[in-house]
Amino acid sequence: MKTILDVLMSFDEKLHLLYDKPEIDSIKYLAVSDVTGLSKAQLRAFTGNEITTPQAEKLTDIANQLQTGIPLQYILGHTEFYGLNFQVNPSVLIPRPETEELVEWIIQAAQERHQQEAILDIGTGSGCIPVKLKKHLPDAEVSAIDISPAALQTAKQNATLNGVDVAFIEADILNPVEISFPQYSILVSNPPYVTEREKAHMHVNVLNNEPHLALFVSDHDPLVFYRAIADFALQHLTSNGLLFFEINENLGQQMIDLLQDKNLKNIELRQDMRGKDRMIKAQKA
């Protein structure tokens, strides 16, 4: 019979060429906790405890898949975002911590306005943004669009999983004229913003597994989605409505210039927990 320590050490041995130690520690405790039902604190406190043969076999399979570069979240089929559980698969991006910060900013802004909001998330992916917003702003009307039918299917499942009512629409924000959209008081988007030249700096597990459609833009026009969404906001955002973006950390000033050129006001650029320009808000005049 294998002990918890045996399994943890096995992850170290199999992943040391692919990840650094902090990442390995995070991955192995998440994996072992998911399979055994024990918390990270319990795993650390009872490393000599034995695990069952089926659990050991499942963890061996997970470690073997991780060696190929598949992200743990895709192997497990789920991840946590802002305290909620979300199904994930290769049709959607894995939610990131910086997106949690963006959602928190939107919730705070909406609560300060003391009005019923109509919110649209553009390029929703897993649905983590609209589902979390609806959970915290239950009186808001929340909708989301995506160009990918597979992503929308996952997003719908996540709305059901978390017990919220979100309207999902298949649409291409670069060609939105085919659908008649109403007015919204808040627009939010985490669109593709990684440039082609930045690919070289990305981890292989992201490049080989997460959907490129949701990640990358061309080097010659990295703001293509932001420009289209800003134009959409001019038509479909109510007076004094708010526009929120997650952005490429290297394009903060370019985003400010773009939003100013569109005559949006009260532009605010924010840094994430790591001190990188990652979020921006603007308001329709």
Side-chain angles (χ1 to χ4, degrees):
M1 295 287 285
K2 288 188 176 181
T3 66
I4 291 171
L5 180 60
D6 292 332
V7 173
L8 293 174
M9 291 178 63
S10 176
F11 275 86
D12 291 333
E13 293 169 4
K14 291 185 176 183
L15 302 182
H16 75 279
L17 295 178
L18 196 59
Y19 299 98
D20 59 26
K21 189 177 187 310
E23 285 182 294
I24 293 174
D25 287 344
S26 175
I27 289 169
K28 69 185 182 184
Y29 281 109
L30 278 173
V32 181
S33 178
D34 189 83
V35 171
T36 65
L38 299 173
S39 68
K40 184 177 180 180
Q42 289 172 318
L43 294 175
R44 285 181 163 174
F46 306 110
T47 55
N49 284 16
E50 293 183 343
I51 62 173
T52 67
T53 298
Q55 288 174 339
E57 291 174 348
K58 186 172 183 179
L59 286 165
T60 297
D61 179 60
I62 289 173
N64 290 340
Q65 290 187 67
L66 286 167
Q67 277 187 301
T68 70
I70 302 175
L72 176 63
Q73 294 91 336
Y74 288 162
I75 297 171
L76 299 180
H78 63 88
T79 190
E80 183 181 301
F81 177 81
Y82 210 143
L84 298 179
N85 191 39
F86 285 85
Q87 297 178 6
V88 290
N89 54 63
S91 70
V92 299
L93 289 180
I94 298 166
R96 266 58 173 190
E98 51 266 30
T99 307
E100 293 185 357
E101 297 181 71
L102 175 66
V103 170
E104 184 175 6
W105 191 10
I106 298 169
I107 291 170
Q108 290 174 344
Q111 290 174 337
E112 290 171 0
R113 278 151 56 100
H114 302 291
Q115 66 180 52
Q116 185 174 5
E117 306 285 2
I119 303 172
L120 178 67
D121 175 40
I122 299 171
T124 195
S126 67
C128 63
I129 291 177
V131 168
K132 185 61 182 180
L133 289 175
K134 182 64 175 179
K135 202 76 172 178
H136 271 257
L137 304 168
D139 293 334
E141 295 181 5
V142 182
S143 304
I145 68 172
D146 203 287
I147 194 174
S148 165
L152 286 172
Q153 182 62 32
T154 301
K156 290 175 183 177
Q157 292 170 352
N158 284 325
T160 300
L161 178 65
N162 287 285
V164 296
D165 183 17
V166 176
F168 292 101
I169 306 161
E170 184 179 339
D172 179 4
I173 192 59
L174 298 182
N175 297 284
V177 292
E178 296 179 2
I179 296 176
S180 178
F181 288 95
Q183 295 294 104
Y184 301 96
S185 58
I186 294 177
L187 295 179
V188 55
S189 184
N190 176 20
Y193 58 66
V194 181
T195 62
E196 292 290 331
R197 68 169 64 95
E198 291 172 323
K199 275 186 179 182
H201 305 292
M202 298 188 72
H203 200 287
V204 65
N205 70 336
V206 175
L207 282 175
N208 292 347
N209 295 280
E210 298 200 51
H212 286 203
L213 180 67
L215 281 170
F216 297 110
V217 287
S218 66
D219 292 334
H220 75 273
D221 192 9
L223 300 182
V224 57
F225 286 97
Y226 297 99
R227 190 179 306 107
I229 294 167
D231 288 337
F232 182 88
L234 295 179
Q235 296 184 32
H236 297 286
L237 199 57
T238 58
S239 178
N240 295 317
L242 301 176
L243 174 61
F244 291 87
F245 286 121
E246 183 173 323
I247 67 169
N248 186 316
E249 65 189 79
N250 300 310
L251 299 176
Q253 186 57 53
Q254 291 94 318
M255 281 299 306
I256 292 174
D257 295 342
L258 184 154
L259 296 173
Q260 287 177 337
D261 289 345
K262 300 296 182 182
N263 294 318
L264 294 166
K265 64 178 183 177
N266 297 331
I267 299 167
E268 182 181 351
L269 179 66
R270 279 194 181 184
Q271 295 182 332
D272 64 14
M273 64 183 74
R274 295 180 295 172
K276 297 182 178 182
D277 292 340
R278 187 63 78 179
M279 296 160 278
I280 197 164
K281 178 183 78 170
Q283 191 170 28
K284 186 176 178 181

